[in-house]
Amino acid sequence: MTHYAVLGLVRSPMRAHRMDAPCHPWGRRTAAVQRDSPSCSEGYQLPARTGFSFPPPWISITPPPDEAGSTALRQQNSILVRSDNTADYYFEYTECDSTGSRWRVAIPRTPGACTGLPEPVRGTECTFSCRAGEFLEMSSQDCTQCPAGTYSLGSGIRFDQWDSLPPGFSSLATSLENGQDRDIKATCNSSSWLPQGNYLESNSDECTVSLIYAVHLKKKGSVSFDYQYPDSNLLFEFFIQNDQCQEMDQSADTKWLKLTKHGEWASHTLNLKSGTNVLYWRTGGILMGTKVVKPVLLKNIQIEGVAYTSECFRCKPGTFSRAPGSSSCDLCPQDTFSGHGASSCTPCNTSTQYAGEGSDKCKARPPCSKKDYFKIHTACDNDGKTQIIYKWIEPKICLEGVPGAQTLPSSGDREPCPPCNPGFYNNDTATCSPCPPGTYSDGMKPCQSCPAGTEPTLGYEYKWWNVLPSNMKTSCLNVGNSKCDKMHGWEVAGDHIYSGAGGSDNDYLILNLHIPGFKLPTSASSDSATEYGRITFEFETLCTADCVMYFMMDVNRKSTTIVESWGKTQTRQTYTHIMTKNASVAYTWAFQRTGQPYDTRLYMNDVARIYSITVNNAVDGQSSGCRVCALSAQSTSSACVPCPPGHYIDTDSNQCKECPSNTYLVSHASLGSEACKACGPASRSDEDHRLCYSDCHFTYTDGNLTLTYNFSLLGATGSLMNGPSFTSKGTKYFHLFNISLCGGQDQLATCTDNVTDLSVSDSQGEKGDGPSAVKTFICQSTIIPATGRGFNSALSSQSINLADTFLGATVEDHFEGISAKPDQYPQISKKVPDVNFYYRSLEPTSSCESGRSTVVTLRCNPEMSIKGQLSVPSQCPAGTCDGCTFYFLWESSGACPICTERDYHQIEGVCRGGNQEILFVWAEPKLCMGGVTLPEKKTLPCKSMELWVRLSAVMGTFTAVLLVSLTCYFWKKNKRLEYKYSRLIMSANKECEMPGADSCAVMEGENEGDMEDEVVYTKPSILGKLKAIASKRNGDHYENVQLNSSQSRALVWS
């Protein structure tokens, strides 16, 4: 029967082609079909198997040799040792039948030669296997020891050489969802797992890349491998599928690999079931921006359970196996080499050649240069002097005494020793000793006790580097070799410590500082502490290549996380990191000159220097000074006592006093009442004076107008998922923001990394205290949807703190140096002002030296629901335009002020049947919420008029009647006068032809009978004459006369 070797999965459309297959022993030639198939994760359904149970049709079919995947290993190890290489045929086993039996058959080496083959014989049990160091000799079907220079795993296979991707392995890259533009998918075609000699290196971009290997096991087995996973910005999972693309049952802690310390390897082992197992190592970056992500490294993949192997594998170049029956090969020592299948290593000519450990050849020694030596400072002697010593970098590979070679500078120059570090003293000896407990020193003077009412300040202050402190250690590490394992990574140099030479330019030069815990000052309360300690260091880097300086921390020996990193040349600067919980912590500095491996040294002059490291409140630290502490109320006691939460030390009495209301206690503040800082507007402090927060109530007064708000209707936490956005590689991601407007410490928003937190214990996970959990007022997480990345569930990662300090709430557009930028959210109505909540995060970042700030604008919108809707500025879809200041708009009807009586008015109806209706309606638009309610409709009897109204009506009526009567009276009297005057004129014209009178008048008091004779003529005036002329022209033939009063009895002529 033909043997089928697993060659992995190839991402291509389904296709088939014929392969010439050897004859079966029964004389029939068969055609084996090889299919290339895409990955299961792309949504294709693998075809069901037919005929033989192995291999499935999507696995490529190649003859021979055995069930362990030896064809792949033959190409990896170049030469295999078989029991018989001269015969025209070789032996194979048939598939096992239902009883667990099988047959040994002969397969011709030349296709078509089907005669002269031995008859089939019954084979060994299907579960039979040889021990490690042995192989199954197929002719006799007995286990035989492997000869020297070879090795065997018995029932396993191992991959430990990665000059190229071994046959059987494939690397598939995906991005975005199925059905997206192929041009966008092509951006990930260059992403893959890359062989690096001794290990595989994953991608370090946003693409999802899977390393896939399929193996068929005859019995239960296992898979194990070594890996490095130092960066949480890269997701790394390992899982197994069967031949039907069904994922095997696997817990989260075995699927998601745990983070490793920088430069350290971890091992992972998982059991395998019998049958076909498809192994997936999958990585995917979630970086946004230009931050460099460290890739995952993988090596020493070993699979057990392949039942048997009929071959021994020759040792790869640079290794050897001296004794028969070896299960592994050893590395050749330094200055030796070996080829394939070596049973010993050949020495190099050390006078002109050298070879590193595990070399496959000797290299010529170059002339020595300045890059091949370094200097160190010896410990101080009794005279207070240190010597400068020059040493060759080990192992020394250069030649002296040849043209162009540099000589080693002479050593022995003596220099004055630097002073002791603060907290230490020099008692006329060659070393610095720590001060006894309860005493302090600045490093220059003898130790002395702290005065009464004070206590020593515990910590470490390293600024002089004559010897490496006892709680620090240095090492060198290279992921591809062990050249620098015994070297010092950093060297002391008096006023600084600098990165050492290392063995290669891509070595990690590591410096560690261990702090067992933190101890707060006696008078400080651990219950209200928000800061347990801080580390501050001053450094610089000088680089010509792509060097990187990492600062990392490992809390409680869980996992090492990168706190900050700096690339290329960095000017002298300081960096501070704050510890917010009391725990054991190991701080690590790692410097790498370049990420590229080179055989020669090119960047020896690239260096990192650390000038000082200061850690305060270290539990085992030394004291460089004293600080004031609180004393007992008993005047006879001088012992320091702890202050209750929220209390400060009064400088006059050295007594503990509580901070005033609505103030919070500032860490690292001066003594006295200045340690209590007032909360901002519309904020209050919690009982322990740890922080200020909003109680959801806000009042705004403008003249006679007062608006009162109650934001508790908005809920405890608001969330906003904005996006989607896409990285340069086309990966879709969202930003999730969680915002806590109201409440104190127990109501803060939480963002959790659901990938790296899977390795945290259940107790920590339940409390949300994992290493990537962020609990604060406002936080942000990056969400990678399950679609398009091949992951089974959405991933949350890169949780960051945007606001841990509430500054206050106000309607002003500027507060504490932060601008709300109202032009980003144009306001339609200004009847109700927006309320701005101002926040700040004091944690500095590489791009935000002063920390981040956030403004949440609450806007009354009666058309929205009470919960409302969060949004970000359209011009800043990520919520920020500069990465340092974030803006959010929260529109809601719950953001409207509380309703009062001024927000409605009444409407009075007409009287009907003696009753009148009164209605109450809200003012439109209604810009309030809650508060008072509209009164019910009222029906009242019509009201009678008031007394003054009635009096006014009577007086008005009387006045009107009087005026009408007077008008009638004078009108009637005027008519009578006109009549009498007309008669007088007519009479005068008849009797005496008198000249036209200018005027005439009837005297007052005359009665009607006297009016005929008692007329008085006066000389007419000019005006009268003019009127008379006008009257005549108008046909009025009478003159004006003036009537005298009743006292006149005669006519007067003039």
Side-chain angles (χ1 to χ4, degrees), residues 393-408:
I393 296 175
E394 295 295 340
K396 182 185 176 184
I397 62 173
C398 64
L399 287 177
E400 299 181 78
V402 297
Q406 292 278 345
T407 59
L408 187 69

Side-chain angles (χ1 to χ4, degrees), residues 758-770:
L758 293 174
S759 60
V760 182
S761 63
D762 294 338
S763 60
Q764 285 181 321
E766 292 173 0
K767 297 177 181 178
D769 294 332

Side-chain angles (χ1 to χ4, degrees), residues 4 79 131 188 240 266 272 290 324 353 385 460 464 483 535 586 667 792 798 810 859 898 967:
Y4 304 100
I79 300 176
R131 293 176 298 179
C188 286
I240 304 168
L272 300 177
T290 60
Q353 296 176 323
K385 300 289 185 178
Y460 291 106
W464 300 112
K483 291 181 181 179
I535 180 172
S667 299
N792 295 330
Q798 293 185 334
T810 176
R859 176 171 295 174
I898 296 175
T967 301

Side-chain angles (χ1 to χ4, degrees), residues 322-446:
R322 181 173 287 109
S326 297
S327 61
S328 63
C329 299
D330 301 322
L331 293 176
C332 286
Q334 181 179 323
D335 291 331
T336 64
F337 73 98
S338 70
H340 285 287
S343 59
S344 62
C345 298
T346 304
C348 298
N349 182 2
T350 56
S351 61
T352 58
Q353 296 176 323
Y354 77 97
E357 186 181 32
S359 296
D360 60 349
K361 62 182 178 179
C362 296
K363 300 178 182 178
R365 292 183 180 272
C368 292
S369 66
K370 292 182 178 180
K371 298 179 181 179
D372 295 306
Y373 65 83
F374 62 97
K375 70 176 181 178
I376 63 172
H377 291 72
T378 64
C380 290
D381 56 23
N382 293 331
D383 296 330
K385 300 289 185 178
T386 178
Q387 288 187 354
I388 299 178
I389 304 296
Y390 292 90
K391 290 186 176 182
W392 293 111
I393 296 175
E394 295 295 340
K396 182 185 176 184
I397 62 173
C398 64
L399 287 177
E400 299 181 78
V402 297
Q406 292 278 345
T407 59
L408 187 69
S410 59
S411 302
D413 292 342
R414 302 179 70 193
E415 295 180 352
C417 287
C420 294
N421 282 310
F424 293 80
Y425 73 100
N426 189 329
N427 191 15
D428 296 329
T429 62
T431 59
C432 294
S433 302
C435 288
T439 63
Y440 72 97
S441 172
D442 61 357
M444 306 286 290
K445 301 176 183 179

